[in-house]
Amino acid sequence: MLLRFIERSPVTSLLGGLGFGPPISRFNELIHAPFQNREHDSRCVERGVLVEELAKPLPPGTIRYNSQIVAIHKAKNDVSPITVELLDGTTISTKVLIGCDGVHSVVAKWLGLPNAKTSGVSAIRGLTEYPEGHKFESGLLQTLGGGVRAGVLPLTASKVYRFLDYETSQDKANGLEGERLKEETLKLLHGFPDKIVELVTRSNVESLIHSHLRLRWVWPLLGCTFYKGTVTVAGDAMHPMTPDGCCSLEDAVVLARCLAEAVSEIKPISPSKNSTTEDGRDNAQEFKRIEEALQKYTKQRRGRALWLQAKGFLTGKIMNSNSLFIRVVVPWLMGAEQLLEHAHFDCGGLPPPSSSPSPNHSSSQHLNYVPC
């Protein structure tokens, strides 16, 4: 439903440099949270808005919306060795498959990754609209009490994102929808400030989403393999974690860089039937380079993802604790700036785009994005 990220991190600065910053900035408010003379600017962006803006530079027809992958098959030819079957019966053949299909990823299952387990934390999230304008200040407001954490973050002058998370052991909202879910949410907020309770009372019940936050640890000793041939995963499909972590944008930058560098190293050869790509490159060499690129990508991301998983998991446990000592003293001892320090991780940049693409190259023929 929503995607939140730290705007002044190296990743989002890079996106801005690629032309994605200004359009996204139009739709949300800038929130400043200075720690140790370093500013962390949080942006809360509706997922639909983000996808729309990121899609604009792509050729028409590149993205196939409202699609769901149901099966993956290894093809017998050397040109497009992977075939993806969609729910509507459509099949797509491709050289590279990157699964970004979420915590219940079909691609991750095909790779042999274990199912994500519940993290022990449940959440109720949604949006509240104020046509006349809300009075919340720009900034992330969090309130703790009774093992429940409530958070508020304005999207625009008339729309506010709110979340509620708590230990799954006290979850009585499982399976509830509509008015019943709203009633249970209000019970969890008993004793919280009126302005937070009001966000739920005036919200549309259709905006309430309940979920168990899931986690799949990426410990190397667990034998998790994040790529097989020219197939890999990214985001929640690779490393589902609690919301206090999150690094999908970093995955995208590192993966794009690894693939771009690998493909640029492939030299054209004399064309022969079924042995070269459309621009004269050797298929066998190309697949080998791509596989090496995916190996490099997953090696780079595993350690980072594991650190964020651990940090997010521990942060959630601290925030949802019933102990005043753990909720207040421990974060104070750690230093508040540590809660956002991970946003300043520099995952590197992207190589410049090719200035002389092959005359036979067509982006729409080589790219198929299937959001799930």
Side-chain angles (χ1 to χ4, degrees), residues 5 58 65 90 104 106 117 154 195 230 259 287 294 298 345:
F5 56 91
L58 300 175
Y65 291 101
T90 303
H104 301 293
V106 174
K117 307 295 184 182
K195 62 180 180 180
T230 59
L259 286 173
F287 292 139
L294 298 188
T298 57
F345 175 78

Side-chain angles (χ1 to χ4, degrees), residues 64 67-75 80-99 101 106-107 110 230-231 368-370 372:
R64 184 191 299 268
S67 301
Q68 181 179 344
I69 297 176
V70 294
I72 302 168
H73 307 285
K74 286 279 289 184
S80 299
I82 305 296
T83 299
V84 175
E85 183 181 342
L86 304 182
L87 185 61
D88 63 2
T90 303
T91 59
I92 300 175
S93 295
T94 181
K95 293 180 180 179
V96 184
L97 175 61
I98 303 166
D101 46 341
V106 174
V107 182
W110 185 85
T230 59
V231 179
N368 273 288
Y369 297 89
V370 187
C372 300

Side-chain angles (χ1 to χ4, degrees), residues 290-356:
I290 291 173
E291 186 172 357
E292 290 173 349
L294 298 188
Q295 181 182 28
K296 180 180 179 181
Y297 152 72
T298 57
K299 183 178 180 180
Q300 288 186 22
R301 297 308 297 159
R302 186 191 290 271
R304 170 68 172 165
L306 180 58
W307 160 243
L308 287 176
Q309 283 184 325
K311 183 174 184 177
F313 181 78
L314 290 175
T315 300
K317 289 297 183 182
I318 290 171
M319 295 296 185
N320 293 122
S321 174
N322 284 308
S323 168
L324 181 64
F325 175 82
I326 293 178
R327 291 202 318 268
V328 178
V329 179
V330 172
W332 179 77
L333 291 174
M334 291 171 56
E337 70 279 356
Q338 293 299 321
L339 296 177
L340 291 176
E341 189 63 23
H342 64 274
H344 279 278
F345 175 78
D346 190 350
C347 64
L350 290 173
S354 174
S355 58
S356 56

